[in-house]
Amino acid sequence: MSAPLFEKVAFIGLGLIGSSLARVMIAENLATQIVASTRSKQTLEDAKALGLIQEGYSDPIEAVKGADLVVLALPVRATQKVLEAIQPYLSENVILTDVGSTKGNVVDAAKAVYGEHLPAGFVPGHPIAGAEHTGVHAGKVDLFANHKVILTPLPSSADWAVEKLIQLWQAAKAEVICMDVEKHDEVLAHTSHLPHLMAFNLVEQLANREDNLDIFRYAAGGFRDFSRIAASDPQMWHDIFFANKKAILNAVDGFEKQLKTLRQLIEDENSQALMGVLGHAQAARQHFNHMLANKPLMEKNKVTTQQFTILPGQKNFQGKFTVPGDKSVSHRSIMFGAIAEGTTHVTGFLEGEDALATLQAFRDMGVSIEGPKNGEVTIHGVGMHGLKAPASALYMGNSGTSMRLLAGMLSAQKFDSVMTGDASLSKRPMERIAKPLRAMGAHIQTTGERGTPPVSITGNQPLKGIQYDLPMASAQVKSGILLAGLWAEGETAVTEPEPTRDHSERMLRAFGYEVKTEGNRISLQGGGKLMATDIQVPSDISSAAFFMVGAAITEGSDVTLEAVGINPTRTGVIEILKQMGADLTVENERIAGGEPIADIRIRGTRTLKGIHMPEDQVPLAIDEFPALFIAAACAEGQTILTGAAELRVKESDRIQVMADGLKIMGIDCTPTDDGIIIEGKGKAGEWGAIFTGGEIESHHDHRIAMSFSMAGLRTSGEIKIVGTETVATSFPTFTALANQAGLTIQVSE
Ligand code: S3P
């Protein structure tokens, strides 16, 4: 066992927070000796009886002697007095920290005692955790688990002290964030102190009414939710409001201003603007939920938030289904609607997290957007020069399309911007779009390691058109460049090595913007404008693909996917499945909203056969390979994929992750640099189990999770897929539809 992190720890104060931290230290063997000083003798006796401390003192001076960590866990207002007393007795290299909920005044107290030369071991901290009960008995060893702890190192703080405190709080399973003191107090003023002040204020306002009894008697959930925190300790909040006075007054000013705006909109009966503000707030709240839900993905010690369990023995796979709207088209409908003149109505919009991230980004840039409601969205376009600077970084979640296309648009704006994303997006290459944009004159930086997000853009840079030969077949990069080209001087042209999805070109034309396609060269002239139009989003063939594969590998299945987009730049999956011998027909072809659509019917009538997948189909089926690998495993003979290195930089390394999962499930396969070789286990006319079952890691890639779900149709054992929460990015109704068709997918959080 390694030596404990600390020799002697002294707690000054041992309430809920202090005693919880002491419990962590004991559980994790972090200290050789723990002592405390408190004013209450009873507390010290109780702490000893609980086994939390070896010694208890009423005088803090006795406690701190020889300690290498001193934790001030007492009311913030007592800090200065205690520091004055203990200062002469502190060891030279002591780490001194606190747990108070305001930080500026703790630093002021320290300065009052030490002058400007604060000790190197002084690092203020704030664990954001609490409970209804207080006191030494209320402490819990897991109080800080999955909570945030903010450390506010000062210029005088030594790295060794900060690092040791980070280790301490990580041992408590907390997420440690470092920020400066002013930022801490400002953030807390807005996210904690202002809401408490508002709750006290509302209850007080209602309590002062003559009819208060009636009001409280009839008050429903809204009042209860909003006022819950007004039942908190008045003394504590009294102290906090004074302790963080400056930042709280700023937050109150901001609140008053916003309230006045709302008041005016109601008085003026300004329906559109009021809907804009309420819609923006609602979306921000939902987005915030999503960020919270996704938070564990970003933690180093990853916590899986959702898993699928698929039970073997499913025979049926049948029905007519409408899968959600196309992700690529949904993104573009918001982007183009936002910069158009006039109002754009969208139907069939994909209410998945990726497209919602785009929607939120434009709301953050001042665009009034109504919906989505049942797939309908109304965008009040602001024109080519109407986007406004977002108040903070734009959060793109899991969505590479949002980040790369927006990189182009944001490079041309007058304001600076930053884009961030979740753990998966934070690993994806962004230099592929940054490089051509720089050649156009953009000031854009990929600030992550190895050219990855966050992406930071300095606005107000004049752009000029370029001719760019795309080094890889990427519709996102093509689109990002063309979008920047809308604001650039002269012609912007992109030549692609192979045709990729052309939704940007089609939709720009639908918005009245001229785009030329000459072979593989696509070009437009900058300086024009987009005119609002109505967009009908077709069902996403990439989502339909899972059901197509499911039906193709299941005996007697009969599945029809209705009104699926069959844009020729997206139909690689149909072509490849047909070449593998699937019983697949494309019926009822028609045009809707400028895109060809059709019903696709697949029946399980014959065993698929392995093929060398045609390289020219790779860009046209780029998102469907994980599902096609499942089909290949069920086929008779070998399937070879080449020319698909791009799969390695999708939401996960789809070649490696699929190969790993297939091997776990008993399939012989060999990943190569640009593809994979899969030894199909199918035999003509036989429909028994192909997969053994097992536990699959999806690497938070939605398409990996959905592909392995389909393997459940041919498995002998149970399949567990971990990290499936990202399915909601593109196909929120996936499990409902799959279960309706005959699979049994159980979802557990
Ligand atoms: C997309 C393009 C493709 C695709 C992605 C959506 C788009 O990415 O994989 O799901 O909407 O333009 P690449 O451009 O990286 O190939």
Side-chain angles (χ1 to χ4, degrees), residues 19 37 39 81 84 103 138 163 210 245 247 267 289 293 306 351 356 386 416 422 587 592 615 694 701 713 745:
S19 72
S37 105
R39 284 202 305 204
K81 223 171 132 213
E84 263 160 14
K103 296 274 68 84
E163 271 157 29
E210 270 176 22
K245 180 174 163 188
E267 189 174 322
N289 262 344
Q306 195 195 66
E351 295 181 38
L356 291 174
D416 299 348
D422 73 359
E587 301 168 355
E615 282 199 11
D701 184 332
L713 291 161
I745 307 180

Side-chain angles (χ1 to χ4, degrees), residues 434-585:
K435 207 174 140 215
L437 291 174
R438 269 182 219 121
M440 296 176 78
H443 282 201
I444 174 167
Q445 269 182 306
T446 53
T447 55
E449 294 161 27
R450 293 188 301 273
T452 48
V455 172
S456 169
I457 296 168
T458 309
N460 223 358
Q461 310 298 325
L463 302 186
K464 55 184 184 324
I466 51 165
Q467 153 69 51
Y468 192 67
D469 290 341
L470 269 180
M472 75 294 286
S474 167
Q476 291 177 357
V477 179
K478 167 178 69 177
S479 303
I481 298 168
L482 290 174
L483 286 176
L486 296 175
W487 286 271
E489 191 193 318
E491 185 193 67
T492 297
V494 179
T495 304
E496 32 185 12
E498 282 142 309
T500 64
R501 63 190 67 192
D502 63 355
H503 303 298
S504 297
E505 297 90 304
R506 281 175 189 255
M507 206 186 285
L508 280 172
R509 289 182 194 121
F511 275 89
Y513 209 101
E514 196 191 335
V515 182
K516 274 195 205 148
T517 302
E518 295 148 305
N520 284 2
R521 183 178 191 273
I522 302 106
S523 61
L524 53 76
Q525 291 288 334
K529 60 182 180 184
L530 276 67
M531 299 308 295
T533 184
D534 290 347
I535 300 288
Q536 202 178 328
V537 182
S539 286
D540 199 332
I541 192 169
S542 298
S543 297
F546 303 108
F547 286 75
M548 290 159 66
V549 166
I553 62 172
T554 308
E555 182 178 25
S557 65
D558 188 355
V559 168
T560 301
L561 286 325
E562 294 175 313
V564 177
I566 52 158
N567 177 317
T569 58
R570 296 287 297 282
T571 48
V573 64
I574 295 179
E575 181 57 33
I576 292 171
L577 278 176
K578 276 189 174 167
Q579 289 194 18
M580 293 175 82
D583 182 353
L584 185 155
T585 49

Side-chain angles (χ1 to χ4, degrees), residues 326-329 331-332 354 400-402 404-405 428 432 472-480 500-504 540 542 570 619 621-624 646-647 649-651 654 702-703:
D326 189 285
K327 188 151 72 77
S328 297
V329 177
H331 280 301
R332 288 158 171 84
D354 276 16
T401 308
S402 310
R404 297 203 180 109
L405 269 62
R428 299 184 65 188
R432 53 175 55 198
M472 75 294 286
S474 167
Q476 291 177 357
V477 179
K478 167 178 69 177
S479 303
T500 64
R501 63 190 67 192
D502 63 355
H503 303 298
S504 297
D540 199 332
S542 298
R570 296 287 297 282
I622 192 69
D623 291 338
E624 286 67 76
E646 277 295 298
L647 290 180
V649 289
K650 293 294 176 188
E651 284 84 330
R654 286 185 174 158
H702 54 141
R703 301 202 196 278

Side-chain angles (χ1 to χ4, degrees), residues 59-306:
D59 184 352
I61 292 172
E62 294 305 318
V64 302
K65 281 181 184 162
D68 54 346
L69 172 66
V70 172
V71 183
L72 304 179
L74 33 68
V76 165
R77 70 190 128 80
T79 308
Q80 186 171 336
K81 223 171 132 213
V82 168
L83 274 182
E84 263 160 14
I86 62 175
Q87 184 221 354
Y89 302 93
L90 291 173
S91 315
E92 198 186 336
N93 278 334
V94 68
I95 296 180
L96 178 63
T97 190
D98 77 310
V99 297
S101 52
T102 53
K103 296 274 68 84
N105 58 333
V106 170
V107 176
D108 288 346
K111 282 184 179 159
V113 176
Y114 283 96
E116 283 305 310
H117 296 288
L118 295 172
F122 178 48
V123 186
H126 175 198
I128 307 184
E132 285 86 63
H133 302 290
T134 52
V136 68
H137 287 287
K140 298 188 291 189
V141 71
D142 61 353
L143 185 72
F144 312 110
N146 299 320
H147 283 255
K148 294 190 180 68
V149 170
I150 302 179
L151 294 178
T152 57
L154 308 167
S156 53
S157 305
D159 288 349
W160 51 263
V162 179
E163 271 157 29
K164 261 188 139 175
L165 284 173
I166 291 177
Q167 278 182 47
L168 167 65
W169 286 112
Q170 282 177 343
K173 303 192 175 53
E175 183 199 346
V176 186
I177 302 167
C178 289
M179 61 175 75
D180 66 40
V181 170
E182 291 74 31
K183 181 84 189 161
H184 169 277
D185 286 355
E186 191 200 323
V187 167
L188 267 289
H190 283 87
T191 56
S192 168
H193 308 166
L194 178 64
H196 278 85
L197 190 83
M198 285 160 60
F200 283 116
N201 183 57
L202 177 75
V203 176
E204 181 64 5
Q205 182 190 341
L206 298 199
N208 282 338
R209 287 173 60 110
E210 270 176 22
D211 57 353
N212 63 20
L213 270 185
D214 278 350
I215 288 215
F216 285 115
R217 191 172 297 137
Y218 300 128
F223 175 74
R224 223 170 284 143
D225 287 349
F226 191 90
S227 63
R228 182 179 59 81
I229 48 179
S232 311
D233 181 5
Q235 177 69 54
M236 183 175 91
W237 283 100
H238 158 275
D239 292 357
I240 290 174
F241 292 151
F242 283 159
N244 200 16
K245 180 174 163 188
K246 202 169 126 221
I248 288 175
L249 291 182
N250 271 339
V252 171
D253 290 346
F255 171 67
E256 275 179 355
K257 195 166 153 231
Q258 183 65 42
L259 190 65
K260 271 202 190 113
T261 306
L262 274 179
R263 190 190 182 287
Q264 197 62 48
L265 295 180
I266 297 170
E267 189 174 322
D268 300 347
E269 294 183 17
N270 186 341
S271 160
Q272 187 190 319
L274 184 61
M275 273 309 289
V277 174
L278 300 182
H280 182 247
Q282 182 211 34
R285 183 65 180 82
Q286 284 164 352
H287 196 57
F288 175 62
N289 262 344
H290 159 64
M291 283 169 75
L292 286 180
N294 251 359
K295 195 65 222 161
L297 302 186
M298 301 181 184
E299 287 169 13
K300 273 208 189 110
N301 302 325
K302 185 182 61 202
V303 179
T304 301
T305 53
Q306 195 195 66

Side-chain angles (χ1 to χ4, degrees), residues 339-362:
I339 56 167
E341 284 176 18
T343 302
T344 292
H345 295 283
V346 184
T347 51
F349 182 78
L350 166 66
E351 295 181 38
E353 289 168 4
D354 276 16
L356 291 174
T358 292
L359 195 149
Q360 180 62 25
F362 282 91

